[in-house]
Amino acid sequence: MGLEQLMPAIASMTWQDLVMIAIGLILIYLAIAKNYEPTLLLPIGFGAILVNIPFSSAITQIDPATGQAVEGVLNTFFNAGIVTEIFPLLIFVAIGAMIDFSPLFRNPSLLLFGAAAQFGIFMTMIFASLLGYDLREAASIGIIGAADGPTSIVVASRFAPNLLGPISVAAYSYMALVPIIQPPVIRLLTSKKERLIRMSTAGNYNKKISKKALIAFPIAVTIVAGIIAPSSLALIGFLMFGNLIRECGVLNKLSLAAQNELASLVTLLLGITIASTMTSDRFIRVDTLIIIALGLFAFIFDTFGGVIFAKFMNLFRKEGNKINPMIGACGISAFPMSARVIHQMGQKEDPFNYLLMPAISANVGGQIGSVVAGGIILTLVPLLA
Amino acid sequence: MTQAIEKALEIAGIGIIGVFIFMAIFYLLILALDTFLPYKEEVSAEGNSVEVETEDETQN
């Protein structure tokens, strides 16, 4: 009896499988040792190992005895949770339950940074088209710039399921790398004088917000978004539904369950299910490297869009009422990491400059902006493709 | 310029303007809600301000 019969997995192992197992180990290392998005990168890393061992029963295999396909559990999860978009949309309910929109009510003009910092999505989409990707693939790659994992998964699973693995890995990896990506770009685009701008007069951060207004907001946003772009309703509606559960005041147990148990369980399933697309034959390709590079490009241009828009707004503002341009970079969806990074950058320049509150407002705007951008892409691409 | 790039430029143009329009509408929405539903201190019968919280009791 040969090795092939005794240990078929070892006999059939290719160098590509070994590379994927190494990638899985690196993702697990980054999750545990560096604390980079551990809730997602750890299941994705483990899943990458799980699906790249030859004849793994975790994914669909052809039974050599019968010649029939035996469906693996990860493929079952994929068909049930990703193809149907159930997992990412449930994550949106959880995220909605975690978001407090009151910082936006205290300084609503910062909401506009949530639009400006989506610039990277569209720039990356154009760049991906220049590289030869079709419109649907280019849009799916561009959406990495939403800095919002579930939005990336919804768009990619609809338009380019073949690229879902690298897009998800890029989206979550770069979200974790915001503290490394954003500061050099911001320093390049701003002067020291601009970074020293204080925003103590911007917004009224002690202002109390009416409970009724906070309850009405998610309902009104859903209706407005639904009327303008019905295709965006799955994304925006589930996010706002989660927020309504939080704000209504009569479903506190459900709100806590959405923020904790639902978020944890679905994140776990989402991560390991995405890994089912990370088989060596689909992942070890030049495309993956290009997508990873384009993801970085998207995050850089998001930061660029936000900072430049802040500088543009300052052209119309009086001295003493200017916006610290670093705040513009918080318009991405990576919450609260981006706000924290900007606050720390501000404190490094001037230990008495407290940018946290305006940074949080812009960052909450980014959470809405990324979902809106995702909804707009879901609406426009089928119309024009 | 290929058709795909032309369409990507078109989507990018409409998309970025669309995101700004959406956010501007939400901005106006916040201003309207803040105007029509301003914060009012809720006062209990004893005259103390209270924060009303209700627990959902019927969960399956």
Side-chain angles (χ1 to χ4, degrees):
Chain A
M1 191 177 272
L3 184 67
E4 276 181 37
Q5 280 84 37
L6 275 175
M7 291 188 174
I10 292 181
S12 304
M13 189 80 77
T14 62
W15 69 267
Q16 289 95 336
D17 295 328
L18 290 172
V19 169
M20 286 309 298
I21 290 170
I23 289 172
L25 290 171
I26 291 168
L27 292 177
I28 291 173
Y29 168 77
L30 292 174
I32 297 172
K34 302 286 180 186
N35 206 27
Y36 287 171
E37 293 285 335
T39 49
L40 253 306
L41 290 191
L42 193 139
I44 290 177
F46 192 81
I49 297 173
L50 208 56
V51 300
N52 284 291
I53 294 172
F55 309 113
S56 167
S57 61
I59 52 170
T60 302
Q61 301 285 341
I62 304 292
D63 185 347
T66 62
Q68 287 185 330
V70 180
E71 191 166 29
V73 66
L74 291 183
N75 295 91
T76 307
F77 282 161
F78 188 86
N79 293 330
I82 306 283
V83 174
T84 59
E85 298 175 4
I86 287 173
F87 288 167
L89 293 180
L90 284 176
I91 290 277
F92 273 123
V93 175
I95 294 172
M98 289 177 203
I99 302 177
D100 176 10
F101 284 125
S102 49
L104 272 186
F105 278 75
R106 296 189 180 102
N107 199 341
S109 65
L110 296 182
L111 190 65
L112 294 174
F113 291 115
Q118 308 307 321
F119 184 62
I121 295 176
F122 300 102
M123 281 301 292
T124 309
M125 191 180 71
I126 293 168
F127 203 62
S129 297
L130 285 169
L131 291 176
Y133 288 96
D134 70 39
L135 201 55
R136 287 168 179 265
E137 289 174 338
S140 304
I141 296 168
I143 204 70
I144 296 172
D148 177 345
T151 301
S152 301
I153 291 166
V154 168
V155 174
S157 63
R158 202 175 288 185
F159 291 154
N162 54 319
L163 303 178
L164 183 60
I167 286 173
S168 307
V169 170
Y172 283 109
S173 303
Y174 289 133
M175 273 162 62
L177 293 174
V178 160
I180 296 168
I181 298 169
Q182 286 203 313
V185 181
I186 293 168
R187 274 194 286 270
L188 201 67
L189 295 171
T190 56
S191 65
K192 185 162 179 74
K193 190 184 166 196
E194 285 174 321
R195 294 196 294 273
L196 286 170
I197 293 174
R198 292 188 178 187
M199 291 185 63
S200 49
T201 54
N204 177 2
Y205 291 105
N206 295 319
K207 179 181 161 186
K208 290 185 175 174
I209 310 301
S210 142
K211 196 77 192 158
K212 285 176 189 163
L214 289 173
I215 292 171
F217 183 66
I219 300 170
V221 165
T222 305
I223 294 169
V224 170
I227 290 168
I228 301 174
S231 307
S232 68
L233 261 187
L235 292 176
I236 296 175
F238 274 69
L239 184 79
M240 293 300 152
F241 173 59
N243 190 253
L244 182 62
I245 291 174
R246 173 200 174 94
E247 298 296 352
C248 71
V250 293
L251 293 173
N252 292 340
K253 282 182 189 167
L254 280 188
S255 169
L256 289 174
Q259 292 175 49
N260 297 294
E261 288 84 357
L262 180 70
S264 304
L265 270 172
V266 184
T267 303
L268 187 145
L269 287 171
L270 189 69
I272 203 153
T273 305
I274 283 169
S276 70
T277 65
M278 291 175 64
T279 50
S280 57
D281 57 320
R282 294 169 76 175
F283 203 86
I284 299 190
R285 294 189 307 191
V286 180
D287 273 345
T288 303
L289 291 176
I290 295 173
I291 289 168
I292 302 276
L294 287 173
L296 179 61
F297 181 87
F299 271 66
I300 289 171
F301 272 90
D302 282 345
T303 309
F304 172 89
V307 172
I308 295 299
F309 184 67
K311 291 171 79 134
F312 175 73
M313 280 177 83
N314 278 345
L315 295 176
F316 307 98
R317 288 182 165 237
K318 289 177 186 163
E319 207 60 48
N321 193 29
K322 298 223 184 252
I323 293 169
N324 188 315
M326 292 196 295
I327 294 295
C330 298
I332 65 169
S333 179
F335 182 90
M337 201 181 300
S338 184
R340 212 182 298 147
V341 167
I342 300 311
H343 175 65
Q344 284 166 354
M345 279 186 79
Q347 294 238 300
K348 208 178 264 181
E349 302 283 346
D350 170 7
F352 299 102
N353 194 3
Y354 297 98
L355 294 173
L356 190 62
M357 292 312 285
I360 290 276
S361 298
N363 215 178
V364 173
Q367 288 184 296
I368 301 179
S370 68
V371 179
V372 168
I376 286 175
I377 283 189
L378 287 176
T379 306
L380 289 178
V381 171
L383 286 177
L384 295 171
Chain B
M1 200 186 296
T2 68
Q3 207 181 7
I5 297 166
E6 275 176 27
K7 284 180 179 172
L9 283 168
E10 194 178 348
I11 290 176
I14 300 171
I16 197 82
I17 292 168
V19 181
F20 269 102
I21 290 172
F22 260 98
M23 300 305 259
I25 292 169
F26 295 157
Y27 169 66
L28 296 174
L29 197 64
I30 289 175
L31 293 184
L33 288 173
D34 213 25
T35 308
F36 296 114
L37 298 170
Y39 178 80
K40 282 179 193 158
E41 195 97 9
E42 291 188 40
V43 180
S44 71
E46 294 81 28
N48 301 321
S49 75
V50 291
E51 198 177 290
V52 181
E53 275 197 19
T54 319
E55 279 290 319
D56 47 324
E57 287 164 356
T58 52
Q59 285 192 30
N60 299 317

